[in-house]
C-alpha cells in the first residue's frame, strides 16, 4: 500500500526544484519560480493545485477522476488542475506532477538550464 502523501511532501519536493520559493497567498502555501506560481496547497492540505494546459485537463480528469479535479467556478478560466494527494501512487508521481508544473511556470532559460527535468524538450 502506498504511503499517504502530506503537505510536507509537497513542500519538500517543490522547494527542491531550482530557484523555487514558498510564499503564502490566500492563507495557503504557494510555490513559485521566477515569480510565477506553479503549485498551491489547498486549505485542508489534502490536495495541491498545479499548472495544467486547459486543453489537457478534461482528459486527465476523465481518465483518473479520483486523482484529478477542478474546483468549479474557480479553476475554469485558469490553466490549473487539482490533485488529490491520497490518490497518488507515491513521492515519484507527486514529483513528476510538480516538475511538469514547474516547467510550465519557469522562465525558459531556467528550464533549459535543467535538462534533467525535461526543460530542454518541453514545448512552450
Amino acid at each position: 500500500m502506498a504511503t499517504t502523501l502530506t503537505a510536507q511532501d509537497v513542500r519538500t519536493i517543490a522547494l527542491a526544484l531550482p530557484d523555487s520559493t514558498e510564499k503564502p497567498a490566500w492563507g495557503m502555501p504557494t510555490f513559485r519560480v521566477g515569480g510565477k506560481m506553479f503549485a498551491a496547497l489547498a486549505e485542508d492540505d489534502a490536495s495541491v493545485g498545479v499548472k495544467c494546459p486547459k486543453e489537457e485537463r478534461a482528459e486527465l480528469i476523465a481518465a483518473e477522476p479520483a486523482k484529478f479535479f477542478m474546483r468549479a467556478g474557480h479553476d475554469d478560466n485558469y490553466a490549473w488542475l487539482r490533485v488529490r494527494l491520497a490518490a497518488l501512487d507515491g513521492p515519484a508521481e507527486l514529483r513528476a506532477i510538480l516538475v511538469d508544473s514547474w516547467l510550465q511556470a519557469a522562465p525558459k532559460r531556467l528550464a533549459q538550464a535543467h535538462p534533467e527535468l525535461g526543460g530542454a524538450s518541453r514545448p512552450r
Side-chain angles (χ1 to χ4, degrees), residues 44-74:
D44 63 3
D45 290 345
S47 65
V48 61
V50 294
K51 291 187 73 62
C52 179
K54 287 182 182 182
E55 59 274 9
E56 294 177 17
R57 295 184 306 191
E59 186 177 330
L60 286 168
I61 293 168
E64 298 186 85
K67 191 176 289 185
F68 301 111
F69 68 103
M70 285 176 36
R71 214 167 89 198
H74 186 269

Side-chain angles (χ1 to χ4, degrees), residues 10-69:
V10 172
R11 179 174 282 109
T12 299
I13 294 169
L15 292 176
L17 296 171
D19 293 351
S20 294
T21 59
E22 181 175 342
K23 179 180 179 182
W26 311 288
M28 298 173 286
T30 66
F31 303 91
R32 299 164 189 257
V33 59
K36 292 184 181 179
M37 192 177 342
F38 71 92
L41 279 163
E43 293 172 358
D44 63 3
D45 290 345
S47 65
V48 61
V50 294
K51 291 187 73 62
C52 179
K54 287 182 182 182
E55 59 274 9
E56 294 177 17
R57 295 184 306 191
E59 186 177 330
L60 286 168
I61 293 168
E64 298 186 85
K67 191 176 289 185
F68 301 111
F69 68 103

